[in-house]
Short mmCIF file of all heavy atoms in Angstrom, two decimals:
data_model
loop_
_atom_site.label_atom_id
_atom_site.label_comp_id
_atom_site.label_asym_id
_atom_site.label_seq_id
_atom_site.Cartn_x
_atom_site.Cartn_y
_atom_site.Cartn_z
N MET A 1467 13.35 -2.12 6.79
CA MET A 1467 12.03 -2.41 7.31
C MET A 1467 11.95 -3.91 7.58
O MET A 1467 12.30 -4.71 6.73
CB MET A 1467 10.98 -1.97 6.28
CG MET A 1467 9.56 -2.05 6.76
SD MET A 1467 8.33 -1.56 5.52
CE MET A 1467 8.51 0.21 5.55
N SER A 1468 11.48 -4.27 8.75
CA SER A 1468 11.41 -5.70 9.07
C SER A 1468 10.30 -6.37 8.28
O SER A 1468 9.34 -5.73 7.84
CB SER A 1468 11.16 -5.89 10.57
OG SER A 1468 9.81 -5.62 10.89
N GLN A 1469 10.45 -7.67 8.12
CA GLN A 1469 9.47 -8.43 7.35
C GLN A 1469 8.09 -8.36 8.00
O GLN A 1469 7.07 -8.28 7.32
CB GLN A 1469 9.92 -9.88 7.19
CG GLN A 1469 9.06 -10.68 6.23
CD GLN A 1469 9.04 -10.11 4.83
OE1 GLN A 1469 10.08 -9.80 4.27
NE2 GLN A 1469 7.87 -9.96 4.25
N GLU A 1470 8.06 -8.35 9.32
CA GLU A 1470 6.77 -8.27 10.03
C GLU A 1470 6.03 -6.97 9.69
O GLU A 1470 4.83 -6.97 9.42
CB GLU A 1470 7.01 -8.35 11.53
CG GLU A 1470 5.74 -8.36 12.35
CD GLU A 1470 6.03 -8.47 13.84
OE1 GLU A 1470 7.04 -9.09 14.23
OE2 GLU A 1470 5.22 -7.92 14.61
N ILE A 1471 6.75 -5.87 9.67
CA ILE A 1471 6.15 -4.58 9.34
C ILE A 1471 5.73 -4.56 7.87
O ILE A 1471 4.64 -4.07 7.54
CB ILE A 1471 7.11 -3.42 9.66
CG1 ILE A 1471 7.32 -3.33 11.17
CG2 ILE A 1471 6.57 -2.11 9.11
CD1 ILE A 1471 8.41 -2.37 11.58
N ARG A 1472 6.58 -5.10 6.99
CA ARG A 1472 6.22 -5.16 5.56
C ARG A 1472 4.94 -5.97 5.36
O ARG A 1472 4.07 -5.59 4.57
CB ARG A 1472 7.35 -5.76 4.74
CG ARG A 1472 8.42 -4.78 4.33
CD ARG A 1472 9.31 -5.34 3.24
NE ARG A 1472 10.02 -6.53 3.65
CZ ARG A 1472 11.21 -6.53 4.25
NH1 ARG A 1472 11.81 -5.41 4.52
NH2 ARG A 1472 11.79 -7.67 4.57
N ASN A 1473 4.82 -7.08 6.07
CA ASN A 1473 3.63 -7.92 5.94
C ASN A 1473 2.38 -7.20 6.43
O ASN A 1473 1.32 -7.30 5.80
CB ASN A 1473 3.81 -9.24 6.69
CG ASN A 1473 4.81 -10.16 6.01
OD1 ASN A 1473 5.13 -10.01 4.84
ND2 ASN A 1473 5.32 -11.11 6.77
N LYS A 1474 2.49 -6.49 7.54
CA LYS A 1474 1.34 -5.75 8.06
C LYS A 1474 0.92 -4.65 7.09
O LYS A 1474 -0.25 -4.48 6.79
CB LYS A 1474 1.67 -5.16 9.44
CG LYS A 1474 0.50 -4.52 10.12
CD LYS A 1474 -0.58 -5.57 10.36
CE LYS A 1474 -1.76 -4.99 11.07
NZ LYS A 1474 -2.85 -5.94 11.19
N LEU A 1475 1.90 -3.93 6.58
CA LEU A 1475 1.63 -2.89 5.59
C LEU A 1475 0.97 -3.49 4.36
O LEU A 1475 -0.02 -2.96 3.84
CB LEU A 1475 2.93 -2.17 5.21
CG LEU A 1475 2.82 -1.08 4.15
CD1 LEU A 1475 1.98 0.08 4.66
CD2 LEU A 1475 4.21 -0.60 3.77
N ALA A 1476 1.49 -4.62 3.90
CA ALA A 1476 0.95 -5.30 2.72
C ALA A 1476 -0.52 -5.67 2.92
O ALA A 1476 -1.36 -5.41 2.05
CB ALA A 1476 1.78 -6.55 2.43
N GLN A 1477 -0.83 -6.25 4.07
CA GLN A 1477 -2.21 -6.63 4.37
C GLN A 1477 -3.13 -5.42 4.40
O GLN A 1477 -4.23 -5.45 3.84
CB GLN A 1477 -2.28 -7.34 5.72
CG GLN A 1477 -1.64 -8.69 5.76
CD GLN A 1477 -1.53 -9.22 7.19
OE1 GLN A 1477 -1.87 -8.54 8.15
NE2 GLN A 1477 -1.04 -10.44 7.33
N ASN A 1478 -2.66 -4.37 5.04
CA ASN A 1478 -3.49 -3.17 5.17
C ASN A 1478 -3.75 -2.51 3.81
O ASN A 1478 -4.87 -2.09 3.53
CB ASN A 1478 -2.84 -2.17 6.12
CG ASN A 1478 -2.92 -2.62 7.55
OD1 ASN A 1478 -3.76 -3.44 7.92
ND2 ASN A 1478 -2.03 -2.11 8.39
N ILE A 1479 -2.72 -2.42 2.99
CA ILE A 1479 -2.89 -1.80 1.68
C ILE A 1479 -3.86 -2.61 0.81
O ILE A 1479 -4.76 -2.05 0.19
CB ILE A 1479 -1.54 -1.61 0.97
CG1 ILE A 1479 -0.73 -0.54 1.71
CG2 ILE A 1479 -1.73 -1.22 -0.49
CD1 ILE A 1479 0.70 -0.42 1.26
N GLU A 1480 -3.68 -3.90 0.79
CA GLU A 1480 -4.57 -4.74 -0.02
C GLU A 1480 -6.02 -4.63 0.47
O GLU A 1480 -6.94 -4.49 -0.33
CB GLU A 1480 -4.11 -6.20 0.01
CG GLU A 1480 -4.96 -7.09 -0.87
CD GLU A 1480 -4.46 -8.51 -0.95
OE1 GLU A 1480 -3.83 -8.99 0.02
OE2 GLU A 1480 -4.72 -9.15 -1.97
N LYS A 1481 -6.20 -4.68 1.77
CA LYS A 1481 -7.54 -4.58 2.35
C LYS A 1481 -8.19 -3.24 2.01
O LYS A 1481 -9.35 -3.19 1.59
CB LYS A 1481 -7.44 -4.75 3.87
CG LYS A 1481 -8.72 -4.82 4.61
CD LYS A 1481 -8.41 -5.11 6.07
CE LYS A 1481 -9.59 -4.92 6.96
NZ LYS A 1481 -9.24 -5.17 8.36
N LEU A 1482 -7.43 -2.15 2.17
CA LEU A 1482 -7.96 -0.83 1.86
C LEU A 1482 -8.29 -0.69 0.38
O LEU A 1482 -9.32 -0.11 0.01
CB LEU A 1482 -6.95 0.25 2.28
CG LEU A 1482 -6.82 0.48 3.78
CD1 LEU A 1482 -5.53 1.24 4.08
CD2 LEU A 1482 -8.04 1.21 4.32
N ARG A 1483 -7.41 -1.23 -0.47
CA ARG A 1483 -7.63 -1.15 -1.92
C ARG A 1483 -8.90 -1.90 -2.32
O ARG A 1483 -9.74 -1.40 -3.07
CB ARG A 1483 -6.43 -1.73 -2.67
CG ARG A 1483 -6.59 -1.71 -4.19
CD ARG A 1483 -5.43 -2.35 -4.89
NE ARG A 1483 -5.22 -3.75 -4.55
CZ ARG A 1483 -5.96 -4.77 -4.99
NH1 ARG A 1483 -6.98 -4.56 -5.80
NH2 ARG A 1483 -5.68 -6.01 -4.64
N ILE A 1484 -9.07 -3.08 -1.76
CA ILE A 1484 -10.25 -3.90 -2.07
C ILE A 1484 -11.52 -3.22 -1.55
O ILE A 1484 -12.53 -3.18 -2.24
CB ILE A 1484 -10.09 -5.32 -1.51
CG1 ILE A 1484 -9.01 -6.06 -2.33
CG2 ILE A 1484 -11.41 -6.08 -1.54
CD1 ILE A 1484 -8.55 -7.37 -1.73
N ASN A 1485 -11.44 -2.68 -0.33
CA ASN A 1485 -12.61 -1.98 0.24
C ASN A 1485 -13.00 -0.77 -0.59
O ASN A 1485 -14.17 -0.42 -0.67
CB ASN A 1485 -12.35 -1.56 1.68
CG ASN A 1485 -12.38 -2.73 2.64
OD1 ASN A 1485 -12.90 -3.79 2.34
ND2 ASN A 1485 -11.79 -2.55 3.81
N LYS A 1486 -12.02 -0.12 -1.19
CA LYS A 1486 -12.27 1.06 -2.03
C LYS A 1486 -12.68 0.64 -3.45
O LYS A 1486 -13.01 1.47 -4.28
CB LYS A 1486 -11.03 1.94 -2.07
CG LYS A 1486 -11.33 3.36 -2.42
CD LYS A 1486 -10.25 4.28 -1.88
CE LYS A 1486 -10.58 5.68 -2.26
NZ LYS A 1486 -10.71 6.56 -1.14
N LYS A 1487 -12.61 -0.68 -3.71
CA LYS A 1487 -13.01 -1.25 -5.00
C LYS A 1487 -12.20 -0.71 -6.17
O LYS A 1487 -12.76 -0.34 -7.21
CB LYS A 1487 -14.51 -1.06 -5.22
CG LYS A 1487 -15.34 -1.79 -4.20
CD LYS A 1487 -16.81 -1.65 -4.44
CE LYS A 1487 -17.52 -2.55 -3.47
NZ LYS A 1487 -18.52 -2.00 -2.69
N ILE A 1488 -10.88 -0.66 -5.97
CA ILE A 1488 -10.01 -0.28 -7.09
C ILE A 1488 -9.02 -1.41 -7.35
O ILE A 1488 -8.66 -2.16 -6.45
CB ILE A 1488 -9.27 1.05 -6.83
CG1 ILE A 1488 -8.33 0.94 -5.64
CG2 ILE A 1488 -10.24 2.20 -6.65
CD1 ILE A 1488 -7.39 2.11 -5.52
N SER A 1489 -8.61 -1.51 -8.58
CA SER A 1489 -7.67 -2.56 -8.97
C SER A 1489 -6.24 -2.15 -8.64
O SER A 1489 -5.96 -0.99 -8.35
CB SER A 1489 -7.79 -2.81 -10.47
OG SER A 1489 -7.31 -1.69 -11.19
N ARG A 1490 -5.36 -3.12 -8.71
CA ARG A 1490 -3.93 -2.82 -8.53
C ARG A 1490 -3.47 -1.84 -9.59
O ARG A 1490 -2.68 -0.95 -9.33
CB ARG A 1490 -3.10 -4.10 -8.61
CG ARG A 1490 -3.20 -4.96 -7.40
CD ARG A 1490 -2.31 -6.17 -7.52
NE ARG A 1490 -2.41 -6.97 -6.32
CZ ARG A 1490 -2.34 -8.27 -6.30
NH1 ARG A 1490 -2.16 -8.95 -7.42
NH2 ARG A 1490 -2.44 -8.93 -5.16
N GLU A 1491 -3.97 -2.03 -10.79
CA GLU A 1491 -3.59 -1.15 -11.89
C GLU A 1491 -4.02 0.30 -11.62
O GLU A 1491 -3.26 1.24 -11.83
CB GLU A 1491 -4.19 -1.64 -13.21
CG GLU A 1491 -3.75 -0.81 -14.39
CD GLU A 1491 -4.27 -1.34 -15.71
OE1 GLU A 1491 -4.79 -2.47 -15.77
OE2 GLU A 1491 -4.15 -0.60 -16.70
N GLU A 1492 -5.24 0.46 -11.12
CA GLU A 1492 -5.72 1.81 -10.81
C GLU A 1492 -4.87 2.45 -9.71
O GLU A 1492 -4.51 3.63 -9.81
CB GLU A 1492 -7.19 1.76 -10.36
CG GLU A 1492 -8.15 1.46 -11.49
CD GLU A 1492 -9.55 1.17 -11.01
OE1 GLU A 1492 -9.73 0.37 -10.06
OE2 GLU A 1492 -10.48 1.76 -11.59
N LEU A 1493 -4.53 1.68 -8.69
CA LEU A 1493 -3.70 2.21 -7.61
C LEU A 1493 -2.31 2.55 -8.12
O LEU A 1493 -1.74 3.56 -7.73
CB LEU A 1493 -3.63 1.22 -6.45
CG LEU A 1493 -2.90 1.71 -5.20
CD1 LEU A 1493 -3.49 3.01 -4.67
CD2 LEU A 1493 -2.92 0.62 -4.13
N SER A 1494 -1.78 1.74 -9.01
CA SER A 1494 -0.46 2.03 -9.56
C SER A 1494 -0.47 3.33 -10.35
O SER A 1494 0.49 4.11 -10.28
CB SER A 1494 0.05 0.87 -10.43
OG SER A 1494 -0.68 0.77 -11.63
N LEU A 1495 -1.54 3.60 -11.07
CA LEU A 1495 -1.65 4.86 -11.81
C LEU A 1495 -1.74 6.06 -10.86
O LEU A 1495 -1.12 7.09 -11.10
CB LEU A 1495 -2.87 4.83 -12.73
CG LEU A 1495 -2.79 3.86 -13.91
CD1 LEU A 1495 -4.14 3.78 -14.63
CD2 LEU A 1495 -1.70 4.29 -14.88
N ILE A 1496 -2.47 5.91 -9.78
CA ILE A 1496 -2.61 6.97 -8.79
C ILE A 1496 -1.27 7.30 -8.15
O ILE A 1496 -0.93 8.46 -7.94
CB ILE A 1496 -3.65 6.56 -7.72
CG1 ILE A 1496 -5.05 6.57 -8.34
CG2 ILE A 1496 -3.58 7.49 -6.50
CD1 ILE A 1496 -6.09 5.82 -7.56
N LEU A 1497 -0.47 6.25 -7.86
CA LEU A 1497 0.82 6.44 -7.20
C LEU A 1497 1.95 6.75 -8.18
O LEU A 1497 3.04 7.12 -7.77
CB LEU A 1497 1.20 5.20 -6.40
CG LEU A 1497 0.32 4.86 -5.20
CD1 LEU A 1497 0.82 3.59 -4.53
CD2 LEU A 1497 0.26 6.00 -4.22
N GLY A 1498 1.69 6.54 -9.46
CA GLY A 1498 2.73 6.78 -10.45
C GLY A 1498 3.82 5.72 -10.45
O GLY A 1498 4.99 6.02 -10.63
N VAL A 1499 3.40 4.48 -10.21
CA VAL A 1499 4.35 3.36 -10.18
C VAL A 1499 3.85 2.27 -11.12
O VAL A 1499 2.70 2.29 -11.58
CB VAL A 1499 4.53 2.79 -8.75
CG1 VAL A 1499 5.12 3.83 -7.82
CG2 VAL A 1499 3.22 2.25 -8.19
N ASP A 1500 4.70 1.31 -11.38
CA ASP A 1500 4.35 0.17 -12.22
C ASP A 1500 3.38 -0.75 -11.46
O ASP A 1500 3.44 -0.86 -10.24
CB ASP A 1500 5.63 -0.59 -12.59
CG ASP A 1500 5.38 -1.64 -13.63
OD1 ASP A 1500 5.29 -1.30 -14.82
OD2 ASP A 1500 5.27 -2.83 -13.24
N ASN A 1501 2.52 -1.40 -12.20
CA ASN A 1501 1.56 -2.34 -11.61
C ASN A 1501 2.26 -3.43 -10.79
O ASN A 1501 1.76 -3.84 -9.75
CB ASN A 1501 0.70 -2.96 -12.72
CG ASN A 1501 -0.45 -3.78 -12.18
OD1 ASN A 1501 -1.01 -3.49 -11.14
ND2 ASN A 1501 -0.80 -4.82 -12.90
N SER A 1502 3.43 -3.87 -11.25
CA SER A 1502 4.15 -4.92 -10.52
C SER A 1502 4.62 -4.43 -9.15
O SER A 1502 4.77 -5.22 -8.22
CB SER A 1502 5.34 -5.43 -11.33
OG SER A 1502 6.30 -4.41 -11.50
N TYR A 1503 4.83 -3.11 -9.01
CA TYR A 1503 5.22 -2.53 -7.72
C TYR A 1503 4.11 -2.77 -6.69
O TYR A 1503 4.38 -3.16 -5.56
CB TYR A 1503 5.48 -1.04 -7.89
CG TYR A 1503 5.86 -0.31 -6.63
CD1 TYR A 1503 7.19 -0.21 -6.24
CD2 TYR A 1503 4.90 0.28 -5.82
CE1 TYR A 1503 7.56 0.46 -5.09
CE2 TYR A 1503 5.26 0.96 -4.67
CZ TYR A 1503 6.58 1.05 -4.31
OH TYR A 1503 6.93 1.72 -3.16
N ILE A 1504 2.86 -2.54 -7.08
CA ILE A 1504 1.73 -2.74 -6.18
C ILE A 1504 1.60 -4.21 -5.82
O ILE A 1504 1.38 -4.56 -4.66
CB ILE A 1504 0.40 -2.23 -6.81
CG1 ILE A 1504 0.51 -0.74 -7.15
CG2 ILE A 1504 -0.78 -2.49 -5.88
CD1 ILE A 1504 0.78 0.19 -5.98
N SER A 1505 1.78 -5.07 -6.79
CA SER A 1505 1.72 -6.51 -6.53
C SER A 1505 2.78 -6.92 -5.51
O SER A 1505 2.48 -7.62 -4.53
CB SER A 1505 1.92 -7.28 -7.84
OG SER A 1505 1.91 -8.66 -7.60
N LYS A 1506 4.00 -6.48 -5.71
CA LYS A 1506 5.09 -6.81 -4.77
C LYS A 1506 4.85 -6.18 -3.41
O LYS A 1506 5.13 -6.79 -2.39
CB LYS A 1506 6.43 -6.35 -5.34
CG LYS A 1506 6.89 -7.14 -6.53
CD LYS A 1506 8.14 -6.54 -7.13
CE LYS A 1506 8.47 -7.21 -8.46
NZ LYS A 1506 9.59 -6.51 -9.13
N LEU A 1507 4.33 -4.98 -3.40
CA LEU A 1507 4.03 -4.28 -2.16
C LEU A 1507 2.99 -5.05 -1.35
O LEU A 1507 3.14 -5.25 -0.14
CB LEU A 1507 3.54 -2.86 -2.47
CG LEU A 1507 3.23 -1.95 -1.30
CD1 LEU A 1507 4.46 -1.73 -0.43
CD2 LEU A 1507 2.70 -0.62 -1.81
N GLU A 1508 1.93 -5.50 -2.01
CA GLU A 1508 0.87 -6.23 -1.33
C GLU A 1508 1.29 -7.64 -0.90
O GLU A 1508 0.60 -8.27 -0.12
CB GLU A 1508 -0.38 -6.30 -2.21
CG GLU A 1508 -1.09 -4.97 -2.32
CD GLU A 1508 -2.40 -5.04 -3.10
OE1 GLU A 1508 -2.70 -6.09 -3.69
OE2 GLU A 1508 -3.11 -4.03 -3.11
N LYS A 1509 2.40 -8.10 -1.40
CA LYS A 1509 2.93 -9.40 -0.99
C LYS A 1509 4.05 -9.24 0.04
O LYS A 1509 4.62 -10.23 0.49
CB LYS A 1509 3.44 -10.17 -2.21
CG LYS A 1509 2.32 -10.58 -3.13
CD LYS A 1509 2.85 -11.25 -4.38
CE LYS A 1509 1.68 -11.57 -5.30
NZ LYS A 1509 2.13 -12.06 -6.59
N GLY A 1510 4.37 -8.00 0.40
CA GLY A 1510 5.40 -7.74 1.39
C GLY A 1510 6.80 -8.03 0.90
O GLY A 1510 7.69 -8.31 1.69
N ARG A 1511 7.02 -7.91 -0.39
CA ARG A 1511 8.31 -8.27 -0.98
C ARG A 1511 9.26 -7.10 -1.21
O ARG A 1511 10.40 -7.32 -1.57
CB ARG A 1511 8.08 -9.00 -2.31
CG ARG A 1511 7.43 -10.34 -2.12
CD ARG A 1511 7.42 -11.11 -3.40
NE ARG A 1511 6.80 -12.40 -3.19
CZ ARG A 1511 6.24 -13.11 -4.12
NH1 ARG A 1511 6.22 -12.67 -5.37
NH2 ARG A 1511 5.70 -14.28 -3.85
N ILE A 1512 8.76 -5.88 -1.03
CA ILE A 1512 9.63 -4.72 -1.27
C ILE A 1512 9.53 -3.73 -0.11
O ILE A 1512 8.55 -3.71 0.62
CB ILE A 1512 9.29 -3.99 -2.58
CG1 ILE A 1512 7.84 -3.49 -2.57
CG2 ILE A 1512 9.56 -4.84 -3.78
CD1 ILE A 1512 7.51 -2.58 -3.71
N ASN A 1513 10.57 -2.94 0.02
CA ASN A 1513 10.54 -1.82 0.95
C ASN A 1513 9.85 -0.65 0.26
O ASN A 1513 9.92 -0.50 -0.95
CB ASN A 1513 11.96 -1.41 1.35
CG ASN A 1513 12.58 -2.40 2.30
OD1 ASN A 1513 11.90 -2.97 3.14
ND2 ASN A 1513 13.88 -2.60 2.17
N ILE A 1514 9.22 0.18 1.04
CA ILE A 1514 8.51 1.32 0.51
C ILE A 1514 9.07 2.57 1.18
O ILE A 1514 9.47 2.54 2.34
CB ILE A 1514 6.99 1.18 0.77
CG1 ILE A 1514 6.20 2.32 0.15
CG2 ILE A 1514 6.68 1.01 2.22
CD1 ILE A 1514 4.68 2.13 0.21
N THR A 1515 9.10 3.65 0.44
CA THR A 1515 9.63 4.89 1.02
C THR A 1515 8.56 5.56 1.87
O THR A 1515 7.36 5.31 1.72
CB THR A 1515 10.06 5.88 -0.08
OG1 THR A 1515 8.90 6.29 -0.82
CG2 THR A 1515 11.09 5.27 -1.02
N ILE A 1516 9.02 6.42 2.75
CA ILE A 1516 8.10 7.21 3.58
C ILE A 1516 7.19 8.06 2.68
O ILE A 1516 6.00 8.22 2.96
CB ILE A 1516 8.90 8.11 4.55
CG1 ILE A 1516 9.67 7.26 5.56
CG2 ILE A 1516 7.99 9.12 5.25
CD1 ILE A 1516 8.81 6.46 6.50
N ASP A 1517 7.75 8.57 1.60
CA ASP A 1517 6.95 9.38 0.68
C ASP A 1517 5.79 8.59 0.10
O ASP A 1517 4.67 9.10 -0.03
CB ASP A 1517 7.82 9.92 -0.46
CG ASP A 1517 8.84 10.95 0.02
OD1 ASP A 1517 8.64 11.53 1.10
OD2 ASP A 1517 9.83 11.15 -0.69
N LYS A 1518 6.03 7.33 -0.26
CA LYS A 1518 4.96 6.50 -0.82
C LYS A 1518 3.94 6.15 0.26
O LYS A 1518 2.73 6.08 -0.01
CB LYS A 1518 5.51 5.22 -1.46
CG LYS A 1518 6.20 5.46 -2.78
CD LYS A 1518 5.26 5.92 -3.85
CE LYS A 1518 5.98 6.10 -5.16
NZ LYS A 1518 5.38 7.12 -6.01
N ILE A 1519 4.40 5.91 1.49
CA ILE A 1519 3.47 5.64 2.58
C ILE A 1519 2.56 6.85 2.78
O ILE A 1519 1.35 6.71 2.92
CB ILE A 1519 4.22 5.29 3.88
CG1 ILE A 1519 4.87 3.90 3.76
CG2 ILE A 1519 3.27 5.32 5.08
CD1 ILE A 1519 5.75 3.52 4.92
N GLU A 1520 3.15 8.03 2.75
CA GLU A 1520 2.37 9.25 2.91
C GLU A 1520 1.37 9.41 1.75
O GLU A 1520 0.21 9.78 1.95
CB GLU A 1520 3.29 10.46 2.98
CG GLU A 1520 2.54 11.76 3.19
CD GLU A 1520 3.47 12.95 3.30
OE1 GLU A 1520 4.55 12.95 2.67
OE2 GLU A 1520 3.10 13.90 4.00
N GLN A 1521 1.81 9.11 0.54
CA GLN A 1521 0.94 9.21 -0.63
C GLN A 1521 -0.24 8.23 -0.51
O GLN A 1521 -1.38 8.58 -0.80
CB GLN A 1521 1.76 8.92 -1.89
CG GLN A 1521 1.14 9.36 -3.16
CD GLN A 1521 2.06 9.14 -4.36
OE1 GLN A 1521 3.17 8.63 -4.26
NE2 GLN A 1521 1.59 9.54 -5.53
N LEU A 1522 0.05 7.01 -0.06
CA LEU A 1522 -1.01 6.03 0.15
C LEU A 1522 -1.98 6.48 1.23
O LEU A 1522 -3.20 6.37 1.07
CB LEU A 1522 -0.40 4.67 0.54
CG LEU A 1522 0.17 3.84 -0.60
CD1 LEU A 1522 1.09 2.76 -0.05
CD2 LEU A 1522 -0.96 3.22 -1.42
N ALA A 1523 -1.44 6.96 2.33
CA ALA A 1523 -2.28 7.43 3.44
C ALA A 1523 -3.20 8.55 2.97
O ALA A 1523 -4.40 8.56 3.30
CB ALA A 1523 -1.41 7.88 4.60
N ASN A 1524 -2.65 9.48 2.21
CA ASN A 1524 -3.47 10.58 1.68
C ASN A 1524 -4.58 10.04 0.77
O ASN A 1524 -5.72 10.48 0.86
CB ASN A 1524 -2.61 11.59 0.94
CG ASN A 1524 -1.74 12.40 1.87
OD1 ASN A 1524 -2.02 12.54 3.05
ND2 ASN A 1524 -0.65 12.92 1.34
N PHE A 1525 -4.23 9.10 -0.08
CA PHE A 1525 -5.22 8.54 -0.98
C PHE A 1525 -6.34 7.85 -0.21
O PHE A 1525 -7.52 8.00 -0.51
CB PHE A 1525 -4.58 7.56 -1.97
CG PHE A 1525 -5.60 6.85 -2.81
CD1 PHE A 1525 -6.27 7.53 -3.82
CD2 PHE A 1525 -5.92 5.53 -2.57
CE1 PHE A 1525 -7.24 6.89 -4.59
CE2 PHE A 1525 -6.88 4.88 -3.34
CZ PHE A 1525 -7.55 5.57 -4.34
N PHE A 1526 -5.96 7.07 0.82
CA PHE A 1526 -6.95 6.34 1.61
C PHE A 1526 -7.57 7.19 2.71
O PHE A 1526 -8.39 6.69 3.49
CB PHE A 1526 -6.34 5.05 2.18
CG PHE A 1526 -6.05 4.01 1.14
CD1 PHE A 1526 -4.76 3.55 0.94
CD2 PHE A 1526 -7.05 3.48 0.35
CE1 PHE A 1526 -4.47 2.58 -0.01
CE2 PHE A 1526 -6.78 2.51 -0.61
CZ PHE A 1526 -5.49 2.07 -0.79
N GLU A 1527 -7.15 8.46 2.78
CA GLU A 1527 -7.69 9.43 3.73
C GLU A 1527 -7.55 8.96 5.18
O GLU A 1527 -8.52 8.93 5.94
CB GLU A 1527 -9.15 9.75 3.40
CG GLU A 1527 -9.32 10.35 2.02
CD GLU A 1527 -10.76 10.60 1.64
OE1 GLU A 1527 -11.68 10.03 2.27
OE2 GLU A 1527 -10.98 11.37 0.68
N LEU A 1528 -6.33 8.61 5.55
CA LEU A 1528 -6.04 8.24 6.93
C LEU A 1528 -4.62 8.65 7.29
O LEU A 1528 -3.84 9.00 6.43
CB LEU A 1528 -6.28 6.75 7.18
CG LEU A 1528 -5.78 5.72 6.17
CD1 LEU A 1528 -4.36 5.31 6.46
CD2 LEU A 1528 -6.67 4.52 6.25
N ASP A 1529 -4.33 8.62 8.59
CA ASP A 1529 -2.98 8.94 9.05
C ASP A 1529 -2.02 7.83 8.64
O ASP A 1529 -2.36 6.64 8.71
CB ASP A 1529 -2.95 9.12 10.57
CG ASP A 1529 -3.69 10.36 11.03
OD1 ASP A 1529 -3.69 11.36 10.29
OD2 ASP A 1529 -4.27 10.32 12.14
N ALA A 1530 -0.82 8.22 8.25
CA ALA A 1530 0.16 7.27 7.73
C ALA A 1530 0.46 6.13 8.70
O ALA A 1530 0.62 4.98 8.29
CB ALA A 1530 1.44 7.99 7.35
N TYR A 1531 0.52 6.43 9.98
CA TYR A 1531 0.86 5.38 10.95
C TYR A 1531 -0.16 4.25 10.96
O TYR A 1531 0.16 3.11 11.30
CB TYR A 1531 1.04 5.97 12.37
CG TYR A 1531 -0.24 6.25 13.10
CD1 TYR A 1531 -0.80 5.28 13.93
CD2 TYR A 1531 -0.91 7.46 12.98
CE1 TYR A 1531 -1.98 5.51 14.61
CE2 TYR A 1531 -2.08 7.70 13.65
CZ TYR A 1531 -2.62 6.71 14.47
OH TYR A 1531 -3.79 6.95 15.13
N LEU A 1532 -1.40 4.53 10.55
CA LEU A 1532 -2.43 3.49 10.54
C LEU A 1532 -2.15 2.41 9.49
O LEU A 1532 -2.65 1.30 9.61
CB LEU A 1532 -3.79 4.11 10.32
CG LEU A 1532 -4.30 4.97 11.49
CD1 LEU A 1532 -5.57 5.69 11.11
CD2 LEU A 1532 -4.48 4.14 12.74
N LEU A 1533 -1.36 2.73 8.48
CA LEU A 1533 -1.00 1.73 7.48
C LEU A 1533 -0.08 0.67 8.07
O LEU A 1533 0.02 -0.44 7.56
CB LEU A 1533 -0.32 2.38 6.28
CG LEU A 1533 -1.20 3.23 5.39
CD1 LEU A 1533 -0.36 3.95 4.34
CD2 LEU A 1533 -2.27 2.38 4.72
N LEU A 1534 0.60 1.02 9.16
CA LEU A 1534 1.56 0.11 9.78
C LEU A 1534 0.99 -0.57 11.02
O LEU A 1534 1.66 -1.41 11.63
CB LEU A 1534 2.84 0.86 10.16
CG LEU A 1534 3.51 1.59 9.00
CD1 LEU A 1534 4.63 2.47 9.53
CD2 LEU A 1534 4.03 0.60 7.99
N LYS A 1535 -0.19 -0.21 11.39
CA LYS A 1535 -0.81 -0.71 12.63
C LYS A 1535 -1.59 -1.98 12.40
O LYS A 1535 -2.23 -2.19 11.44
CB LYS A 1535 -1.72 0.37 13.19
CG LYS A 1535 -2.21 0.08 14.55
CD LYS A 1535 -2.96 1.28 15.08
CE LYS A 1535 -3.44 0.95 16.47
NZ LYS A 1535 -4.24 1.98 17.05
#
């Protein structure tokens, strides 16, 4: 995944999380990942699997491609 796409995904996830008024810890529990994973994800420092993108999209009630847009 290119850095540009990771950065866009990171921005979108953080924005959606904040708008939904949930903490990184709460999101990590929902996804079944460590809190540090969410932190790294929101900073664009890690690659994410398609499965996790789909899980996030389902949680935020939107189509997965919108997380990358």
Side-chain angles (χ1 to χ4, degrees):
M1467 187 181 285
S1468 76
Q1469 189 60 48
E1470 184 179 329
I1471 293 171
R1472 275 195 299 271
N1473 289 342
K1474 187 62 179 174
L1475 178 65
Q1477 291 170 355
N1478 288 338
I1479 291 170
E1480 183 175 28
K1481 186 175 168 182
L1482 287 163
R1483 179 184 60 76
I1484 290 169
N1485 287 342
K1486 202 156 180 122
K1487 297 182 173 128
I1488 63 168
S1489 68
R1490 285 183 179 145
E1491 184 176 348
E1492 289 170 312
L1493 186 56
S1494 70
L1495 291 172
I1496 290 163
L1497 295 179
V1499 297
D1500 189 79
N1501 189 33
S1502 65
Y1503 179 90
I1504 302 300
S1505 178
K1506 291 174 189 172
L1507 182 60
E1508 288 185 352
K1509 292 176 183 172
R1511 293 189 179 156
I1512 59 171
N1513 286 325
I1514 184 172
T1515 65
I1516 294 295
D1517 292 339
K1518 286 294 182 209
I1519 289 174
E1520 182 178 31
Q1521 197 175 2
L1522 281 163
N1524 289 337
F1525 174 73
F1526 290 120
E1527 300 176 343
L1528 45 88
D1529 291 327
Y1531 79 92
L1532 292 172
L1533 290 173
L1534 304 171
K1535 190 173 180 184

